Amino acid sequence: MTTNERARALPQLQAACPACGARPGELCTSHNGTRVRRHDTHRARRATWAKGGAA
């Protein structure tokens, strides 16, 4: 399994990311939007998902 596949398997991808603006299902990006975060998501996205903020 590649790092992108592992990142895409994270349950918090069901929620939009308030930190970088990634839509549900999209990987988070760096704060300036030039690089994809391949290993994790922003803490804010995880918190949104944990509170039931899934799309």
Side-chain angles (χ1 to χ4, degrees):
M1 184 178 276
T2 67
T3 54
N4 276 352
E5 289 170 339
R6 280 182 262 173
R8 290 193 186 283
L10 294 170
Q12 55 265 39
L13 260 65
Q14 297 172 23
C17 183
C20 68
R23 292 181 279 187
E26 293 180 349
L27 295 175
C28 285
T29 61
S30 59
H31 291 287
N32 58 8
T34 58
R35 290 176 294 147
V36 173
R37 292 178 67 130
R38 297 177 294 160
H39 305 285
D40 58 3
T41 62
H42 289 107
R43 287 185 213 162
R45 186 178 211 166
R46 170 83 172 71
T48 298
W49 169 78
K51 290 179 183 175

